[in-house]
Amino acid sequence: MSTLEAGERTWQEERLERVRRWEDRRSYEDFIDEAAIEELLVRHRSSEPKTVEDILEKARQNATRGALLSPEDVAVLANVQDPQLWQAVFETADWIKRTVYGNRIVLFAPLYVSSPCVNNCAYCGFRSGNRDVQRRTLDMAELRAELTALVRAGHKRLIMVYGEHPASDCEYMCRTVEAAYQVKSGPGEIRRANVNAAPLFVEEYKAVRSVGIGTYQVFQETYHRPTYRKLHPAGTLKGEFDWRVFSLHRAQEAGIDDVALGVLFGLYDWRFELLGLLYHAMALEQAFGVGPHTISYPRLEPALNTPIATGSPHRVSDDDFRKIVAVIRLMCPYTGSILTAQERPELRREVIRQGGVSQMDAGSRIAVGGYAEMDREHVPDRQQFMLADTRSLDDFILDLCREGYLPSFCTAGYREGRTGANFMPLAKHATVKNFCVANGILTFEEYLADYATEPVRRIGRETIIPRYLEWLEANASALAPKVRAHLERMERESRRDLHF
């Protein structure tokens, strides 16, 4: 049961009235047809191995032409039972990721800025009816302390997370994003602040865009309308399915050309949700010619006083989770694939190799104010859910290096205008990896010079950077000498933020 105060109720009611007026006037056509999706999944419940093999070959071809798999293709893959065929899917996902983005992993940190929320979503620890959770909105001094802790750890890239509440409205979001770019500590700074927040009106998206955000991320949670209605009470802002499902259409209208999709897997059948993500990507492509910049796939996780998180009949097993990540890479080859610290370290290692992952968070704390208390891995009454990977950023990077990956803090694409329609051709034709590897080397060297422990510095400079310089020589020979020159300038002049 919700426990909103009078001012919160008034704010929600007034906003809800505006939301419903927008829904009544919307011009976008529905792109989720539950019956059609269910029929597809039933019709393709069993397919011949040759059919699956043909889809895998099609997915490989799509990696360099940017095409999406069809809903029929994804329905076939989602129903595969043969372990040998799944192994072929995993191998294809890894090949596509390396072909499009190279063998690098982009690193970021989530920063929870506020937890009060007017919504009462059944699965969320921050729901308004959860009396066991502390509500907290960072003031500017607290926010600067969090940002300083992140910068001093070596982070350059954030996803800033907000509850839907009058205390964290569009104006507050703008002020806090501006603050993120102002914090400096030694050679460190935040170079890109992405946002995970509630759907906005077009004029609000324009305001957020004006302060220089990166990607705007809205997770639909579930594309299955009956489940959505069950989990998001009527009369709440989150209860408006159409308002949320077209949130990124409005962001694109406002000029935010990097938008991000996500599903909370475990609320409904994961096969249905995969097709929901695909139809959403197709709808954005059709309307704007620009698909999602990233796709995230968090699983339902335990949260304080939130029984549905462990009792859902649709909870996703580790085996099915691996399948989800791999199919997302095959169906949408150009999009960034985000694997979060909700998953255990050992599973993350496996999924990187099998699923075509390109972005991960590390050294994460998701309690509001949690980076100022890094020694506390969990603060349950200030967290939305529980993390399973609480390793430090440095430990995480050491693990990546031992596995042969290039850790990257690159933000150059955003700042050089490689976003939206300017980014998509590079990703869709698999040439963006040249920039990704070159800038990844430079940002990794920054980390090695300024923040790394000796074991990370040794493996980074003796193994990882030489390996990827060799890759550049073989695959982007014009860039290789420029990267070497930048590395020399970084050492000779203590220069930072040299990029392409």
Side-chain angles (χ1 to χ4, degrees):
M1 180 176 179
S2 178
T3 56
L4 297 183
E5 297 180 355
E8 295 168 325
R9 283 198 302 273
T10 298
W11 182 83
Q12 176 170 247
E13 288 166 2
E14 291 175 350
R15 193 166 179 84
L16 192 55
E17 184 178 345
R18 288 185 64 199
V19 165
R20 287 172 174 164
R21 286 202 301 269
W22 181 89
E23 289 176 323
D24 289 341
R25 298 194 305 267
R26 72 171 171 88
S27 57
Y28 300 116
E29 294 183 3
D30 288 333
F31 55 84
I32 296 296
D33 183 333
E34 284 92 346
I37 292 175
E38 300 283 11
E39 189 274 333
L40 265 180
L41 290 169
V42 170
R43 177 154 41 99
H44 296 288
R45 186 170 289 164
S46 178
S47 299
E48 293 297 320
K50 179 64 165 60
T51 301
V52 177
E53 291 163 2
D54 288 346
I55 293 171
L56 298 187
E57 178 56 31
K58 178 181 177 182
R60 285 175 176 260
Q61 293 176 11
N62 285 352
T64 53
R65 63 188 187 191
L68 301 171
L69 288 181
S70 70
E72 291 78 9
D73 294 333
V74 173
V76 169
L77 293 177
N79 279 303
V80 168
Q81 299 297 322
D82 185 339
Q84 288 187 324
L85 286 175
W86 272 116
Q87 185 57 38
V89 171
F90 297 144
E91 291 171 1
T92 303
D94 182 57
W95 183 89
I96 290 172
K97 186 266 178 177
R98 287 186 284 108
T99 298
V100 176
Y101 285 109
N103 209 30
R104 64 91 173 100
I105 299 291
V106 171
L107 301 174
F108 69 95
L111 173 56
Y112 276 69
V113 185
S114 67
S115 58
C117 189
V118 296
N119 296 306
N120 201 25
C121 310
Y123 49 83
C124 181
F126 287 162
R127 68 189 182 281
S128 61
N130 191 353
R131 298 175 183 271
D132 293 346
V133 170
Q134 293 185 37
R135 316 289 171 185
R136 185 173 178 184
T137 300
L138 296 178
D139 62 29
M140 287 301 120
E142 292 169 330
L143 177 64
R144 283 190 291 272
E146 292 289 278
L147 291 163
T148 300
L150 285 161
V151 169
R152 288 177 177 171
H155 281 290
K156 302 282 191 288
R157 181 182 186 126
L158 303 179
I159 181 77
M160 301 179 71
V161 185
Y162 302 83
E164 188 164 18
H165 191 269
S168 53
D169 61 6
C170 176
E171 181 183 351
Y172 175 80
M173 289 167 57
C174 290
R175 286 190 289 116
T176 50
V177 169
E178 287 177 324
Y181 291 130
Q182 293 167 1
V183 169
K184 315 288 181 185
S185 183
E189 61 188 349
I190 299 301
R191 295 177 184 160
R192 203 62 184 170
N194 301 325
V195 166
N196 178 303
L200 301 177
F201 291 95
V202 170
E203 65 270 20
E204 293 172 325
Y205 280 123
K206 288 180 178 178
V208 175
R209 178 177 180 269
S210 73
V211 298
I213 70 159
T215 303
Y216 201 98
Q217 189 180 74
V218 178
F219 296 170
Q220 188 61 27
E221 319 296 11
T222 175
Y223 287 97
H224 187 250
R225 283 184 180 86
T227 300
Y228 192 96
R229 287 193 293 269
K230 177 181 173 183
L231 298 174
H232 305 99
T236 64
L237 289 163
K238 191 75 170 277
E240 299 298 310
F241 182 94
D242 288 350
W243 169 249
R244 193 169 188 88
V245 84
F246 292 110
S247 59
L248 300 178
H249 284 64
R250 293 191 302 277
Q252 293 270 16
E253 280 185 59
I256 298 177
D257 55 7
D258 269 14
V259 296
L261 307 182
V263 159
L264 182 54
F265 282 95
L267 301 180
Y268 189 61
D269 180 3
W270 63 267
R271 297 168 181 84
F272 181 98
E273 305 292 14
L274 275 178
L275 283 161
L277 284 169
L278 176 60
Y279 278 112
H280 201 161
M282 292 167 60
L284 290 170
E285 287 268 14
Q286 182 177 2
F288 303 100
V290 175
H293 189 77
T294 60
I295 292 178
S296 299
Y297 30 82
R299 283 194 285 181
L300 195 59
E301 295 291 347
L304 187 66
N305 189 28
T306 308
I308 192 176
T310 54
S312 170
H314 301 291
R315 283 181 63 83
V316 172
S317 69
D318 288 353
D319 283 345
D320 286 344
F321 182 69
R322 294 182 186 93
K323 297 173 184 177
I324 288 166
V325 181
V327 173
I328 286 172
R329 171 53 68 208
L330 269 63
M331 78 182 191
C332 197
Y334 60 77
T335 194
S337 171
I338 299 180
L339 174 63
T340 74
Q342 288 179 236
E343 305 301 336
R344 305 183 318 280
E346 57 272 24
L347 182 60
R348 293 182 98 188
R349 292 185 193 102
E350 293 175 21
V351 174
I352 297 173
R353 291 191 296 267
Q354 296 180 333
V357 173
S358 59
Q359 298 187 25
M360 302 176 75
D361 63 319
S364 302
R365 295 294 183 269
I366 60 169
V368 180
Y371 290 104
E373 308 172 54
M374 276 298 290
D375 57 319
R376 301 178 66 185
E377 294 185 356
H378 301 288
V379 189
D381 63 351
R382 296 202 331 247
Q383 293 183 197
Q384 188 179 23
F385 50 83
M386 298 299 160
L387 290 184
D389 187 354
T390 58
R391 289 174 291 172
S392 71
L393 176 60
D394 200 73
D395 285 344
F396 184 84
I397 287 175
L398 181 59
D399 198 38
L400 282 182
C401 290
R402 286 171 173 163
E403 294 287 324
Y405 296 99
L406 171 64
S408 172
F409 295 86
C410 177
T411 61
Y414 298 107
R415 293 180 295 141
E416 293 296 333
R418 294 192 291 271
T419 63
N422 294 320
F423 168 80
M424 285 294 161
L426 295 170
K428 290 181 176 181
H429 297 289
T431 56
V432 73
K433 63 179 175 290
N434 299 334
F435 291 107
C436 291
V437 172
N439 288 317
I441 290 171
L442 297 172
T443 59
F444 186 38
E445 173 55 33
E446 287 184 343
Y447 180 83
L448 297 177
D450 299 332
Y451 306 102
T453 59
E454 185 55 33
V456 172
R457 191 174 295 116
R458 186 181 310 116
I459 193 173
R461 287 178 172 163
E462 294 177 2
T463 303
I464 299 301
I465 287 181
R467 176 181 300 171
Y468 287 93
L469 283 172
E470 288 181 12
W471 185 93
L472 278 179
E473 293 280 7
N475 295 277
S477 57
L479 271 176
K482 297 176 183 178
V483 173
R484 293 183 188 277
H486 279 348
L487 288 170
E488 291 172 5
R489 288 188 67 193
M490 290 170 67
E491 182 178 6
R492 184 177 65 250
E493 304 171 17
S494 296
R495 286 291 301 271
R496 298 292 181 266
D497 199 20
L498 298 173
H499 62 268
F500 301 97

